[in-house]
Amino acid sequence: MPQRKPHIAIIGAGIGGLAAAVCLRRVGIDVRIHEQARGFIRLGAGIQQAPNAVRVLFALGLRDKLLAQAFQPDSNDSRDHDTGALTNSLPLGQSVRDRHGVPYFLMHRGDLHAMLADLVPDDVIRLNHKLAGLDQAPNGMVRMIFTNGETAVADAVIGADGVHSVVRDLMLGAEQPRYTGRVAYRTVFPTARLNGLPVEPCVKWWGPDRHIVSYFVNPRRDELYFVTSTPEPEASVESWSAKGDLATLRAAYDTFHPQVRGILAACPDVHKWALVERDPLPRWVEGNVALLGDACHPMTPYMAQGASTSIEDGAVLSRCLDGVDRDGVGDALRRYEATRRPRTSRIQQTSAQNTWLREPHDADWVYGYDAWTVPLAD
Ligand SMILES: Cc1cc2nc3c(=O)[nH]c(=O)nc-3n(C[C@H](O)[C@H](O)[C@H](O)COP(=O)(O)OP(=O)(O)OC[C@H]3O[C@@H](n4cnc5c(N)ncnc54)[C@H](O)[C@@H]3O)c2cc1C
């Protein structure tokens, strides 16, 4: 009897959910994404894509678009916040291409999201579908219940619904992520506003209890992104669209190097995002339901690996499900978890320390990972 390929439902059309959908479709699996939003907004944010993510993105067909739209810095520099003394400079550019075979990209988050969305046919994404409940039948089929009253069924459900994942809550019980006591102020703005102030292409300024990262987000160098980690005792906001107060931000960095103060003086507005984290979860899979991306391994942004590891998840998930019929889905999902959890747990824990690249150290264990060839767990 011919095998029946599983039908997979993904909850959430963020970078992780979209990348997983593209990876699964690449091996011929039928996918449907259910997304709560009515449409996608282009938030003013940058994103770093290290070679471990770029290997996946290139295989998905995004090489030319990335080369055209993303910026490739020659180095990633760390500097003391006030003197500007260089504490580390990780060579990127040609050096990373030689070492890892692919570039290190800095880009607009909206561009990456749009590139992935363009690889998914419109009818694969169902907008305005907010998941509220899940039922697993003894035969493995999973029924999804949405707040708009609709239901749907699939052979497996992948919860790619972010740090406040409903799928996670349904699987493990509701538990709020931990507020780190810090917020990220971030924005992308035209470099023309800098009035000729020279800025570094990719730099992190390390203060005693706060930092700021800035970089160009396209090869034209006409847009600059910055993101901070700033102590604020109250977790007042966590929304992609919440605005921050510019005067508060500038005051928080008034002892920093003149270049930082110049950037903050030039930026027209800023978003604010509470930084939250969780400890590594004990498990990501229950029956034919699994978690992916921030839903299972949310992390602080200090290694710039949250989206990158979500993209890796999709590639490994597709390898585990490749050629599997519906009866094998549960085992394939457990294999996916067993392959991925040790790596993402280590990155979550390393990221939480916020020491990544401040001093010279080995980055190859992160950037050298190849999701297409890493051995799958037994
Ligand atoms: C300040 C900051 C800087 C960062 N910088 C980087 C970086 O440089 N590089 C990097 O790799 N990562 C970075 N990250 C991390 C990265 O943004 C996240 O790890 C990544 O976006 C996670 O993707 P995701 O798809 O798992 O979740 P999300 O992007 O959160 O997507 C989840 C999706 O699920 C939808 N959803 C939620 N609930 C439901 C529901 N009930 N039903 C249906 N849909 C639902 C949401 O609307 C959303 O579209 C940064 C994060 C922060 C906060």
Side-chain angles (χ1 to χ4, degrees):
M1 207 164 96
Q3 285 191 335
R4 183 164 96 59
K5 283 193 172 181
H7 164 70
I8 309 286
I10 296 174
I11 308 299
I15 287 169
L18 288 173
V22 182
C23 292
L24 291 170
R25 283 171 51 79
R26 189 170 171 264
V27 295
I29 292 178
D30 176 34
V31 183
R32 181 62 69 86
I33 307 179
H34 305 271
E35 163 60 46
Q36 65 180 3
R38 291 172 189 277
F40 300 126
I41 51 166
R42 186 178 162 85
L43 173 85
I47 198 160
Q48 308 191 31
Q49 290 293 279
N52 52 306
V54 173
R55 280 186 195 96
V56 178
L57 298 172
F58 272 20
L60 300 184
L62 292 177
R63 183 178 180 279
D64 292 349
K65 280 192 177 178
L66 285 165
L67 289 171
Q69 294 180 39
F71 176 63
Q72 297 185 46
D74 288 332
S75 62
N76 185 351
D77 294 342
S78 282
R79 294 188 176 276
D80 280 341
H81 74 290
D82 49 0
T83 65
L86 192 68
T87 60
N88 187 25
S89 179
L90 181 76
L92 296 175
Q94 189 59 46
S95 167
V96 83
R97 292 191 293 274
D98 290 345
R99 192 169 182 82
H100 293 293
V102 291
Y104 193 110
F105 288 122
L106 308 176
M107 60 192 300
H108 198 294
R109 186 184 182 280
D111 287 342
L112 178 61
H113 190 272
M115 282 179 201
L116 288 165
D118 282 351
L119 295 175
V120 180
D122 287 349
D123 62 355
V124 167
I125 305 180
R126 294 171 90 202
L127 296 171
N128 196 20
H129 278 68
K130 179 174 184 170
L131 185 85
L134 289 174
D135 275 334
Q136 290 202 58
N139 68 357
M141 293 296 284
V142 189
R143 191 167 72 104
M144 294 155 274
I145 301 129
F146 299 97
T147 55
N148 61 11
E150 290 188 27
T151 59
V153 289
D155 296 304
V157 169
I158 308 300
D161 49 344
V163 66
H164 295 292
S165 169
V166 170
V167 180
R168 180 207 166 279
D169 285 357
L170 294 168
M171 193 187 280
L172 297 171
E175 190 195 348
Q176 284 300 310
R178 198 169 48 243
Y179 176 54
T180 59
R182 305 177 151 273
V183 294
Y185 288 91
R186 58 179 170 175
T187 194
V188 174
F189 68 96
T191 46
R193 295 187 65 98
L194 291 166
N195 276 330
L197 175 78
V199 292
E200 312 226 3
C202 175
V203 63
K204 180 166 177 175
W205 304 87
W206 297 77
D209 66 346
R210 64 200 64 198
H211 69 244
I212 176 165
V213 174
S214 68
Y215 52 80
F216 297 121
V217 293
N218 63 46
R220 303 181 304 278
R221 301 182 180 220
D222 60 9
E223 286 188 304
L224 187 75
Y225 168 65
F226 71 76
V227 57
T228 76
S229 171
T230 312
E232 281 193 16
E234 297 297 323
S236 48
V237 286
E238 196 185 328
S239 149
W240 290 110
S241 54
K243 291 279 182 175
D245 178 51
L246 274 177
T248 307
L249 168 64
R250 288 170 183 150
Y253 289 84
D254 65 358
T255 61
F256 273 56
H257 191 272
Q259 187 182 132
V260 173
R261 299 204 307 270
I263 290 171
L264 298 184
C267 88
D269 62 7
V270 73
H271 288 91
K272 183 175 170 182
W273 177 261
L275 295 174
V276 299
E277 61 184 345
R278 290 188 199 275
D279 293 328
L281 296 184
R283 62 193 166 89
W284 299 1
V285 176
E286 189 169 282
N288 285 6
V289 179
L291 301 172
L292 180 146
D294 275 8
C296 50
H297 49 72
M299 56 185 76
T300 57
Y302 308 146
M303 288 170 73
Q305 279 292 324
S308 300
T309 48
S310 309
I311 291 168
E312 293 176 354
D313 287 346
V316 171
L317 179 69
S318 72
R319 290 176 59 208
C320 293
L321 283 164
D322 188 10
V324 166
D325 71 9
R326 51 183 298 198
D327 296 333
V329 165
D331 286 343
L333 296 182
R334 281 184 284 282
R335 196 173 196 204
Y336 151 75
E337 177 193 322
T339 308
R340 294 291 301 149
R341 202 154 57 84
R343 172 170 170 82
T344 57
S345 300
R346 183 176 173 198
I347 295 179
Q348 276 178 288
Q349 286 160 337
T350 309
S351 188
Q353 294 162 14
N354 191 19
T355 52
W356 183 248
L357 300 185
R358 182 176 193 156
E359 311 285 344
H361 58 235
D362 172 33
D364 284 356
W365 69 272
V366 179
Y367 302 157
Y369 183 90
D370 186 343
W372 298 120
T373 59
V374 70
L376 301 178
D378 293 331

